[in-house]
Amino acid sequence: MGATGRVDRAYALGSSEAEHERLTRQAALLEGITERLFREAGIGAGMRVLDVGCGAGDVAFLVAELVGRDGSVVGIDVDAAVLEVARGRAELLGLRNVTFVHGDLHAPPVDGVFDAVVGRLVLMHVPDPAAALRAVAAHVRPGGVLAFLELDQDPGTRSWSFPEGTSWDEVGRLVIETFARAGAHVRMGRQLWGAFRAAGLPAPAMREEALVGGGPGFPGYGWLVGVARSLSPLMRRLGVADPDQLGLETLAARIRDDVVARDAVVWTPPFVGAHARRSEG
């Protein structure tokens, strides 16, 4: 539910200041999951890395820490406005090894080859994920790394809480239905295996994690409502729900109170990571 890098399909979450801020808040929640994937994939000191669909820059900043001062990161995105946000944040952070380029991941406007290419919540938004992987893999040296983290949710799932029937479940179903009706690949996590293979890459190693919590302090409440808020224009247009009836301004607090009152535990859809090395031959 995140970055951009798409063609021929509007990014379901839109482009606005509120969405850019949401991406940054989401990045804090997914930082640990993302870092574990990248470390397992072998991304480390001195590498030159391409971050596709970089959004507000959070993945690029994480990778910049992994590659260190002797490494470098290039982020690309089709949203020029979000790249301005990313550049401003990089300057504030004092990062000299990160640059951002406006362009499409299907034809990255970059020079030279990279030791790795990464992306988070990007392939779910492109029409042909295998074609996208094939395009970016062409910019990776033989033996280099490709690592992607994607959402995976069966649209038929009815509950993400125990006991079932919380307002978390209700909002979660609306979010997944909106993504599915918009044409996003909501099973992209599981589809990574086939996409890597169809792109001519080796079968990837894969891992799955989710955020699980409850009680009054779980940050997932705000995360879920933030996604619903960014999706709300599309939710209305596709006839999934009337956002005015959701009461978005107080929805996170109401979900929290419902979960706490039921002493329930809730969880996000799984996030599935996949990584492989480009063949030497």
Side-chain angles (χ1 to χ4, degrees):
M1 307 174 183
T4 56
R6 67 284 179 192
V7 294
D8 301 328
R9 178 187 295 160
Y11 176 56
L13 291 150
S15 177
S16 65
E17 183 176 347
E19 169 59 10
H20 301 161
E21 293 173 354
R22 187 200 69 79
L23 286 172
T24 299
R25 293 192 299 272
Q26 175 175 268
L29 287 179
L30 298 182
E31 181 175 4
I33 295 174
T34 309
E35 183 174 352
R36 284 187 287 275
L37 172 66
F38 290 170
R39 287 188 182 277
E40 184 179 278
I43 294 172
M47 295 178 73
R48 184 179 190 231
V49 181
L50 177 64
D51 172 21
V52 296
C54 63
D58 293 281
V59 169
F61 303 151
L62 171 59
V63 174
E65 292 183 10
L66 296 178
V67 301
R69 290 161 56 178
D70 292 332
S72 63
V73 186
V74 178
I76 65 168
D77 203 287
V78 296
D79 183 346
V82 81
L83 288 178
E84 288 304 309
V85 174
R87 292 185 184 110
R89 295 178 68 207
E91 184 173 353
L92 286 173
L93 291 169
L95 293 174
R96 299 289 180 260
N97 62 342
V98 181
T99 57
F100 295 99
V101 178
H102 183 237
D104 192 298
L105 63 79
H106 291 77
V110 292
D111 296 321
V113 295
F114 292 82
D115 299 299
V117 60
V118 301
R120 181 172 70 192
L121 301 175
V122 173
L123 297 176
M124 66 180 287
H125 296 293
V126 302
D128 188 340
L133 282 171
R134 192 178 304 113
V136 297
H139 294 267
V140 179
R141 65 170 174 79
V145 173
L146 294 96
F148 285 80
L149 184 73
E150 295 289 339
L151 176 82
D152 188 280
Q153 184 56 64
D154 182 349
T157 301
R158 306 305 299 167
S159 178
W160 299 267
S161 66
F162 184 83
E164 298 181 2
T166 63
S167 51
W168 171 276
D169 287 342
E170 178 184 356
V171 177
R173 286 193 296 269
L174 295 176
V175 165
I176 295 301
E177 183 178 353
T178 303
F179 274 123
R181 288 198 193 184
H185 303 290
V186 294
R187 301 303 313 267
M188 191 64 238
R190 293 289 187 279
Q191 292 168 348
L192 283 170
W193 177 280
F196 269 63
R197 300 296 290 132
L201 297 166
M206 301 180 71
R207 62 181 301 139
E208 174 181 296
E209 296 189 50
L211 302 172
V212 184
F218 181 50
Y221 310 131
W223 167 79
L224 179 61
V225 174
V227 175
R229 181 179 286 110
S230 286
L231 282 176
S232 60
L234 194 58
M235 198 177 286
R236 186 194 305 276
R237 189 159 64 249
L238 295 175
V240 175
D242 181 354
D244 294 337
Q245 300 300 314
L246 294 178
L248 289 168
E249 295 306 313
T250 61
L251 184 55
R254 287 185 283 117
I255 293 174
R256 178 201 63 207
D257 292 347
D258 183 32
V259 170
V260 171
R262 295 169 184 249
D263 199 19
V265 61
V266 300
W267 53 90
T268 67
F271 295 94
V272 178
H275 63 88
R277 290 187 176 272
R278 187 181 174 195
S279 298
E280 297 278 359

